[in-house]
Amino acid sequence: MTKPKGISAAETRQDVTSGKALLVCAYRDEEACRKVQLEGSISLTQFESRLEGVPKDREIVFYCA
């Protein structure tokens, strides 16, 4: 298994804005996620419902606060 790599906030913003990466709030609780939701992010629940349609080569960045 490949070890996840760290990524800077600036690089994350650029990758999400360009569509290269998908930004996912890693909280299971939707209310907790809304409190810390970053621009361009989706909740873990939304991610799970879209998982089948996410291209295999798209970067996925999980965050929590």
Side-chain angles (χ1 to χ4, degrees), residues 3 7 15 17 19 21 27 30-31 35 39-40 43 51-53 61:
K3 182 179 177 183
I7 185 170
D15 289 352
T17 302
Y27 291 122
E30 289 287 322
E31 187 172 329
K35 289 179 182 178
E39 183 180 337
S43 71
L51 189 56
E52 300 255 341
V61 179

Side-chain angles (χ1 to χ4, degrees), residues 24-27 36 62-65:
V24 180
C25 179
Y27 291 122
V36 297
F62 292 93
Y63 76 92
C64 59

Side-chain angles (χ1 to χ4, degrees), residues 31-49:
E31 187 172 329
C33 188
R34 279 192 295 276
K35 289 179 182 178
V36 297
Q37 188 165 17
L38 299 175
E39 183 180 337
S41 70
I42 62 172
S43 71
L44 185 58
T45 303
Q46 291 170 320
F47 171 70
E48 290 172 336
S49 71

Side-chain angles (χ1 to χ4, degrees), residues 4-15:
K5 69 173 188 154
I7 185 170
S8 73
E11 187 179 357
T12 300
R13 183 173 177 80
Q14 181 179 1
D15 289 352

